[in-house]
Amino acid sequence: NGGARNEQTSEKGSKTQSSFTHPPKIMQTSTKEQPSEILSPEDENENEVRRDDQENINKFGRLNARLHEVRYTISEKKKHLERIDDASTELMMGNGSNVMVQYGDTFFETSEDEATEYCEEEVEKYQNHVDELEAEEVEILDEQKGLKAVLYSRFGKSINLEEK
């Protein structure tokens, strides 16, 4: 919505862009529409951000990004565990004949017993990985809790470390 620019030729013959032919639209909002996150003057904190404060803020941000990665990975691993569990249930209801098992992009034929054993190994492997990720999630949350205490004590309501 910026409007068209006029091109003018400078003394050296090169084209330059000048001001807008019509000004961009400016939207005004009333005070009723102001976000509730704006702090009142009493709540503002005039503390200067020191180097260690910035390092703590950056560390919190990195931990928060990792926390989201860990939570996403946990949910994906749990979905995979459910699919393996469904496959194991199907194998239990089988008639004892050979079955096709997918390994990566390849399918191979095997007995129901071997396929069941494979599923059990996969469940154990994925469950161990989920347990490790859940432990990492707890560690991240504990470390973030400590950083929140330090940063909120220094900046009060002037800093927002909460998720919405």
Side-chain angles (χ1 to χ4, degrees), residues 1 3 20 22 26 40 50 52 58 69 80 89 101 112 133 144 149 152 163:
N1 278 0
F20 290 97
H22 62 287
I26 298 175
S40 64
R50 300 178 304 219
D52 61 325
N58 293 346
E69 288 175 20
H80 192 78
T89 303
V101 175
E112 278 186 12
L133 290 169
Q144 280 186 324
Y152 279 135
E163 302 240 2

Side-chain angles (χ1 to χ4, degrees), residues 144-160:
Q144 280 186 324
K145 185 177 179 181
L147 288 169
K148 279 182 182 181
V150 169
L151 292 168
Y152 279 135
S153 70
R154 174 103 168 103
F155 296 106
K157 292 182 180 178
S158 292
I159 190 166
N160 183 10

Side-chain angles (χ1 to χ4, degrees), residues 45-62 147-156 159 161:
N45 189 325
E46 296 297 325
N47 287 340
E48 187 176 316
V49 179
R50 300 178 304 219
R51 181 181 179 96
D52 61 325
D53 296 330
Q54 189 61 53
E55 287 172 358
N56 284 337
I57 292 167
N58 293 346
K59 185 174 187 178
F60 185 89
R62 286 190 304 272
L147 288 169
K148 279 182 182 181
V150 169
L151 292 168
Y152 279 135
S153 70
R154 174 103 168 103
F155 296 106
I159 190 166
L161 303 172

Side-chain angles (χ1 to χ4, degrees), residues 66-77 79:
R66 179 63 185 150
L67 179 64
H68 286 279
E69 288 175 20
V70 166
R71 286 179 173 167
Y72 176 78
T73 305
I74 288 171
S75 71
E76 291 299 308
K77 297 287 182 189
K79 288 177 190 174

Side-chain angles (χ1 to χ4, degrees), residues 43-133:
D43 292 336
E44 286 185 14
N45 189 325
E46 296 297 325
N47 287 340
E48 187 176 316
V49 179
R50 300 178 304 219
R51 181 181 179 96
D52 61 325
D53 296 330
Q54 189 61 53
E55 287 172 358
N56 284 337
I57 292 167
N58 293 346
K59 185 174 187 178
F60 185 89
R62 286 190 304 272
L63 286 170
N64 202 43
R66 179 63 185 150
L67 179 64
H68 286 279
E69 288 175 20
V70 166
R71 286 179 173 167
Y72 176 78
T73 305
I74 288 171
S75 71
E76 291 299 308
K77 297 287 182 189
K78 285 184 176 181
K79 288 177 190 174
H80 192 78
L81 278 168
E82 288 177 26
R83 289 193 298 269
I84 295 172
D85 186 50
D86 291 345
S88 294
T89 303
E90 289 290 324
L91 286 169
M92 286 181 207
M93 295 188 295
N95 59 7
S97 62
N98 284 349
V99 295
M100 298 296 287
V101 175
Q102 182 179 4
Y103 189 80
D105 291 336
T106 307
F107 287 91
F108 60 93
E109 188 173 357
T110 186
S111 69
E112 278 186 12
D113 291 337
E114 288 175 341
T116 302
E117 184 179 323
Y118 171 75
C119 286
E120 290 169 357
E121 290 170 2
E122 287 295 295
V123 165
E124 185 177 337
K125 179 176 80 174
Y126 274 86
Q127 189 59 54
N128 287 339
H129 196 214
V130 166
D131 293 343
E132 290 170 5
L133 290 169

Side-chain angles (χ1 to χ4, degrees), residues 129-141:
H129 196 214
V130 166
D131 293 343
E132 290 170 5
L133 290 169
E134 287 174 341
E136 183 180 356
E137 179 183 20
V138 169
E139 290 173 16
I140 290 171
L141 290 171

